């Protein structure tokens, strides 16, 4: 059965001003890239062709047309091995044009956070990610419910204001 949720590329294509992503898990389902990193393989950042993916191009194209893309990650410290890897590969996100910040979880105690990771598009539409306990996406949900969007956008903004820019966050 085909998904009724528009693709990320379609949602980003409709976006006119901003797309923000809040991530709150300390681990997601392992990928081949993560497993390679754990074996000691590293990316040659000088060879952009070897690591630049369609996602990076989509972000770059979207930023080039004037959409601000921000990602905030709430993380436990000391960070998990997965977050250590995410920090390493965030070089690609930043190169593509995303602004990325990190917030130690201990500094988020007084922020009302939603129960799920999400993307908010133009502060009017959410793509909410539902994961299983191992960090595998079970499904994505789309909502434009004004109170839910308001909660998520305000949570993102509160995290963003406290979070540490990627180039300053040390793990």
């Amino acid at each position: 059965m085909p998904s009724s949720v528009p693709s990320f590329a379609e949602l980003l294509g409709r976006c006119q001003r901003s797309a923000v992503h809040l991530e709150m898990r300390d681990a997601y389902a392992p990928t081949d890239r993560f497993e390679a990193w754990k074996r000691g393989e590293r990316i040659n950042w000088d060879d952009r062709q070897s690591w630049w993916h369609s996602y990076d191009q989509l972000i770059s194209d979207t930023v080039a047309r004037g959409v601000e893309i921000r990602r905030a990650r709430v993380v436990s410290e000391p960070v998990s091995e997965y977050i250590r890897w995410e920090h390493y590969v965030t070089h690609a996100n930043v190169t593509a044009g995303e602004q990325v910040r990190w917030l130690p979880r201990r500094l988020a105690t007084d922020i009302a956070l939603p129960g799920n990771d999400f993307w908010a598009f133009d502060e009017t539409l959410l793509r909410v990610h539902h994961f299983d306990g191992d960090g595998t996406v079970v499904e994505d949900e789309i909502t434009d419910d004004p109170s839910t969007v308001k909660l998520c956008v305000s949570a993102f903004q509160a995290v963003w204001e406290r979070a540490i820019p990627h180039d300053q966050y040390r793990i």
Side-chain angles (χ1 to χ4, degrees):
M1 172 186 270
S3 172
S4 62
V5 175
S7 72
F8 177 71
E10 185 179 342
L11 292 167
L12 208 51
R14 296 179 196 166
C15 200
Q16 297 177 19
R17 296 177 312 282
S18 68
V20 300
H21 190 191
L22 184 61
E23 297 178 1
M24 298 176 290
R25 296 180 57 92
D26 286 320
Y28 295 86
T31 65
D32 291 342
R33 292 173 58 210
F34 175 56
E35 296 301 327
W37 178 84
K38 287 189 344 184
R39 290 190 303 272
E41 294 178 28
R42 295 300 179 259
I43 297 167
N44 177 358
W45 294 115
D46 293 330
D47 181 11
R48 182 169 146 163
Q49 223 173 7
S50 70
W51 57 266
W52 190 261
H53 298 289
S54 57
Y55 174 85
D56 303 309
Q57 191 60 53
L58 175 63
I59 296 300
S60 182
D61 292 346
T62 303
V63 169
R65 61 181 178 79
V67 176
E68 180 182 54
I69 301 179
R70 297 182 295 160
R71 178 187 304 256
R73 292 179 171 135
V74 179
V75 296
S76 300
E77 291 181 323
V79 300
S80 67
E81 186 176 33
Y82 191 94
I83 294 299
R84 194 175 316 285
W85 171 73
E86 254 191 353
H87 188 270
Y88 172 72
V89 296
T90 295
H91 177 83
N93 300 79
V94 172
T95 300
E98 283 189 35
Q99 299 171 53
V100 180
R101 292 187 182 179
W102 304 79
L103 182 66
R105 193 173 309 281
R106 64 184 162 72
L107 300 178
T109 302
D110 62 344
I111 299 173
L113 295 171
N116 299 293
D117 292 9
F118 64 87
W119 277 93
F121 302 94
D122 290 331
E123 299 184 0
T124 61
L125 183 70
L126 297 177
R127 182 177 180 136
V128 180
H129 304 299
H130 298 287
F131 296 94
D132 68 13
D134 294 323
T136 300
V137 174
V138 174
E139 69 177 340
D140 285 333
E141 169 190 0
I142 296 292
T143 183
D144 61 359
D145 173 69
S147 61
T148 304
V149 171
K150 181 179 179 182
L151 169 76
C152 290
V153 168
S154 65
F156 176 87
Q157 196 55 40
V159 168
W160 187 259
E161 289 170 7
R162 290 186 191 177
I164 302 161
H166 175 71
D167 64 346
Q168 296 172 27
Y169 184 65
R170 304 291 172 244
I171 57 170

